[in-house]
Amino acid sequence: MAARGQAGPATIEDVARAAGVSRSAVSKVIRDAYGVSPAMRERVTAAIERLGYRPRVSARGMRGKTFTLGIEIPDLANPFYPLLLAGATAALSGTPYQLVIAPADPAHSEGYRALQALVDRQVDGVIAVSPLVEQAWLSEVSATVPLVMLGRHDRAEEYDTVVSDDEAGALTVMRHLFDLGHRDIAHLTGEPEDSDPGFGVPQAIRLQAYRTAMQEAGLGDRINIAHVPGVTAGAHRAALRLLAETERPTAIVACHDEPALEVLRAVADAGLTADDVSVAGYDGIAIAGHPGISLTTMRQDGERMGRRSVELLLERLAGRTAPRHEVVEPDLVVRSSTRPPRALGGR
Amino acid sequence: MAARGQAGPATIEDVARAAGVSRSAVSKVIRDAYGVSPAMRERVTAAIERLGYRPRVSARGMRGKTFTLGIEIPDLANPFYPLLLAGATAALSGTPYQLVIAPADPAHSEGYRALQALVDRQVDGVIAVSPLVEQAWLSEVSATVPLVMLGRHDRAEEYDTVVSDDEAGALTVMRHLFDLGHRDIAHLTGEPEDSDPGFGVPQAIRLQAYRTAMQEAGLGDRINIAHVPGVTAGAHRAALRLLAETERPTAIVACHDEPALEVLRAVADAGLTADDVSVAGYDGIAIAGHPGISLTTMRQDGERMGRRSVELLLERLAGRTAPRHEVVEPDLVVRSSTRPPRALGGR
DNA sequence: CACATGATGTAGACCGATCTACAAGAGGCG
DNA sequence: CGCCTCTTGTAGATCGGTCTACATCATGTG
C-alpha cells in the first residue's frame, strides 16, 4: 500500500511505465526469473516499492500458480485442529505460499462444499481433514490439484496421506486400563455408519481396536459400545446413561478428548469421581493437562501432522509423483482420570 | 466433477460448445442475469451438469467478484476465535459467498501479512481480528475492499467495527468482586505497549476499567498490575509470582479466559484453592463451564459478533457507504472460581 | 402496414498477470 | 572479420471468465 497512479491499486502495467520497461520485464523480476540484469532489477524493484505494487493472485492464477495452499477443516471448535494449522503454518513460513482455511461444518455434504470451494479458487495444493468424503471423489480432485488426506487411513494411489497410528494408540489405551485392573470398559464413539472400518476414519479404527483388545483379553461378552449421534454434543447424555447402568463400567474410553471432557462432566454430575470411573480420551488437546481436568489421553502430534502434510504438498509441487503415506506414532499420557478400579484396591 | 472433454476441467467455452450457444449466454445463466429464455437456461444447465463445470474464481475475479470473504485471525488456538468463525459461517450459509480464513501468528507484522494476503486474493470483503495493526493502514485497505474491524474500539470513518462493551464488562467483573468483599484485586494483562487505551485493544480498555474501578472504590493504592509478555504463555509464571507476594491478592482478574486458566493452574500448583484466591477471566470460552474448571467470566457472544461482522460486510456489498459501529453487550457468568475472601467469612 | 418496443442471444473488448518466441546487442573464437 | 553463442529485454498470445454494445426477431401500436 502506498501512493498509486489513478484509479485502484497499481498494476504491473503501471510499474512497467514507471520504471520505463516492459510488462514482461517486471514480471520476470517479480518471479525472480532468468534474464534480468542487476540494473533492471534495481529500477523495477524501486518502482514496485514506490507504487506499493502487489501482484493480484487472481491474475497470476489465470496462467501460473496462486501460491496458495488450502486446508479444509471440520469443526474448528475442536482444539485438535488448530494444532494441525499451527504445524502447517510453521512449515510454510519462508516459502512464498500462503495458507487459507476453508471451514466446514462436520455435516456430511459440507466437506465436499468446502473442498470444492478451494479447488474453485485454484489453490496449488489441498489438505483435506474431513473424514466423511468419498475416496473416489478425492481421487478425482487430485487429478486437478495435489492433495493430502490428513487423518484418514486410506492408502490411495492418487494422493498422499498423513495419519496417526490409531490402532496402536487405541490398543495402548486398552492395555493401560487392563494393567490398572479394569475389565468392564465401555467405548464411546460416533454413529455406526461412520464407524465402518472400511472408511478408514480414526474413530472407526479405534473402535475396532477396542473390540480386538476386549476379545483378546477374553472379555468379548463385556464389550459395551455407545454410539452417539454428534459425538461431542451427545456425549454427556450418553455418559450419564452408561453411568446409570446396573453393571456400571469401571472405565470409559472415548474416541476423542472432546467427548471425553463431556464424560468427565457427566461423572461429576453423577456425583462420582475418578475412583469410581476412569476416563480416557484420545488426541492430547492442551486442556486435558489442566489440573482441574487431568485427563489420560493418547497424545497425537498434531503439529507434526500438519507440518508433514504441507511438506508432502510442497514435494508434489516440486515434482514428486509417487504417493506417500506417512504414519505418526502417538504416545500415552497418563493422568489422574485413570486409576485402578475401586474393588481391586483403589483407594 | 464429472466427465470432461479433454485436458483439465471444463471451461465456460466447453459448456458453450456442448450446449450450442455462446460463452456470453452461459455466463448469463451462471450469473442469473437478465435476458435468458427458459429454453436456453434449460440447455445450458444440462450442459453444465453433464460436464461437471465449475467457474474458476480466479477468472471471475479478473472483472467481477470472487464471492469470497476473508477473515484474518490471530491464534486459532484461543477457543474464542472459533466462535466468531461459527457465527460468520452461519451468516454466510444461503449466500453465494465462501469464507476463507487467513491464519496469523499473534506477532506484530503477521497481521499485516495475513490481511495483505487476503487483499491480494481479491476477496470481496475482509474481517480483521488482529488488534495490532495500525488504524491508518486499515483505512488504506478499506479503500480497496470493504473491511470490518472485529474487536477493536476505533470508530473509523472508513470501515465498520463490531466490538464488545469491554468497559462495562470489566467494570461488572470488578463490581462482582467488590460485592464478594475483595479489596486486594490484581489484574493480569499483556505487555504495556499493547495496553495503551488509545489503541482501542480490548485488553487495554479492560485494564483501564480496572484502574477506574479501583480508584473509585478508594483502592488506588492497591492497584496491582502484572504485565505479561505473551499473555497466555507467561501467565502461569506471572500468577505464581503474584501468589508469592507477601500481601497476596485475594482475587486475580485476567484480561482473557486463556490466561485465567493458567492462573487457575498456578493456584493449584501453589497448593491453594478458590477459597484462598478468586480468579475471574474474560471471554466466556466453553471450557470455563466445565466442572473441573468452573471459571467466573464475562461471556462475550462471539457467535453474534462473527455473524454481525459478516452481515455488515454484506450490507457494504449491497451498497451501504456510511460506517457502522456495533456494540455487543457481554454478560457475567458467576461460577465457583470467585468466592468471598477467607478473612470475611468465606467458607 | 410502417415503426417503435422489448426480449433474447452473440461478438468481442477487457481484466492483469504469465510465458513463449524472438530481436538486439555483447562477447568469444577461429 | 565473420559467425556463433549467450544475455537481456520486448511483443504479443493466452488464461477463463464478465460485461458492454449491438444484431435479430417477435410483438404491439398508431
Side-chain angles (χ1 to χ4, degrees), chain A residues 24-320:
Chain A
S24 325
V26 179
S27 178
K28 276 187 181 181
V29 171
I30 298 170
R31 290 172 294 135
D32 203 24
Y34 175 84
V36 210
S37 67
M40 157 131 268
R41 157 166 291 110
E42 178 76 17
R43 292 176 57 190
V44 171
T45 316
I48 288 177
E49 191 71 24
R50 184 147 32 92
L51 299 180
Y53 166 74
R54 310 245 348 157
R56 305 207 195 169
V57 174
S58 298
R60 305 185 93 169
M62 292 295 289
R63 300 219 53 170
K65 28 205 303 187
T66 55
F67 297 100
T68 310
L69 299 187
I71 181 167
E72 172 269 343
I73 299 242
D75 191 23
L76 276 160
N78 180 339
F80 179 66
Y81 295 124
L83 277 185
L84 300 176
L85 294 174
T89 308
L92 240 36
S93 90
T95 76
Y97 291 92
Q98 164 72 24
L99 188 70
V100 307
I101 305 160
D105 288 337
H108 281 59
S109 68
E110 272 289 288
Y112 292 97
R113 205 196 43 67
L115 277 170
Q116 190 63 261
L118 289 173
V119 173
D120 292 346
R121 275 155 189 79
Q122 302 264 108
V123 293
D124 296 332
V126 188
I127 300 172
V129 181
S130 258
L132 298 177
V133 293
E134 281 179 38
Q135 185 167 343
W137 188 80
L138 289 179
S139 295
E140 264 190 82
V141 168
S142 65
T144 305
V145 53
L147 176 129
V148 173
M149 176 80 226
L150 181 41
R152 204 173 71 184
H153 298 250
D154 44 23
R155 310 189 132 260
E157 269 305 303
E158 294 87 351
Y159 52 87
D160 303 333
T161 61
V162 174
V163 296
S164 181
D165 191 341
D166 290 299
E167 182 172 14
L171 290 176
T172 302
V173 173
M174 293 303 288
R175 182 157 39 246
H176 166 62
L177 291 172
F178 288 148
D179 288 353
L180 286 174
H182 290 277
R183 295 167 60 79
D184 280 310
I185 305 173
H187 186 87
L188 191 150
T189 188
E191 292 181 280
E193 57 267 41
D194 303 340
S195 309
D196 178 352
F199 220 160
V201 178
Q203 63 194 50
I205 310 280
R206 295 170 196 167
L207 172 60
Q208 194 53 47
Y210 162 79
R211 280 213 184 85
T212 306
M214 290 295 275
Q215 294 284 7
E216 290 187 352
L219 300 168
D221 56 327
R222 309 219 186 162
I223 287 177
N224 185 355
I225 300 168
H227 283 288
V228 183
V231 203
T232 304
H236 184 252
R237 187 185 313 192
L240 284 178
R241 237 189 329 258
L242 282 175
L243 297 173
E245 289 178 2
T246 49
E247 301 247 329
R248 188 174 69 210
T250 63
I252 301 178
V253 179
C255 62
H256 289 292
D257 280 348
E258 288 256 289
L261 294 176
E262 292 303 306
V263 175
L264 286 178
R265 170 175 282 171
V267 168
D269 290 353
L272 302 171
T273 73
D275 287 321
D276 304 301
V277 184
S278 286
V279 178
Y282 202 115
D283 282 348
I285 64 180
I287 194 70
H290 196 280
I293 305 287
S294 196
L295 174 69
T296 293
T297 184
M298 282 305 295
R299 198 173 64 82
Q300 305 187 72
D301 192 340
E303 204 185 316
R304 183 190 164 89
M305 293 173 75
R307 180 156 40 79
R308 287 303 296 153
S309 301
V310 162
E311 286 167 357
L312 289 179
L313 275 186
L314 293 179
E315 286 176 19
R316 286 277 191 184
L317 293 173
R320 174 168 59 77

Side-chain angles (χ1 to χ4, degrees), chain B residues 172-173 176-177 180 252-254 256-257 260 264 278-284 288-289 293-299 331-339:
Chain B
T172 303
V173 172
H176 165 63
L177 291 171
L180 284 174
I252 302 177
V253 179
H256 290 292
D257 279 349
L264 285 179
S278 286
V279 177
Y282 202 114
D283 283 348
I293 305 287
S294 197
L295 173 70
T296 292
T297 185
M298 283 304 295
R299 199 174 65 81
D331 49 13
L332 181 67
V333 182
V334 176
R335 298 208 180 90
S336 55
S337 72
T338 49
R339 306 182 188 175

Side-chain angles (χ1 to χ4, degrees), chain B residues 1 4 8 31 37 39 50 81 83 96 103 120 130 144 148 150-151 154-155 177 184 228 247 269 291 299 310-312:
Chain B
M1 291 276 146
R4 50 207 123 72
R31 288 173 295 135
S37 66
R50 185 147 33 91
Y81 295 124
L83 276 183
D120 293 345
S130 258
T144 304
V148 173
L150 181 40
D154 43 23
R155 312 190 129 260
L177 291 171
D184 280 311
V228 182
E247 301 246 331
D269 290 352
R299 199 174 65 81
V310 162
E311 286 167 358
L312 289 179

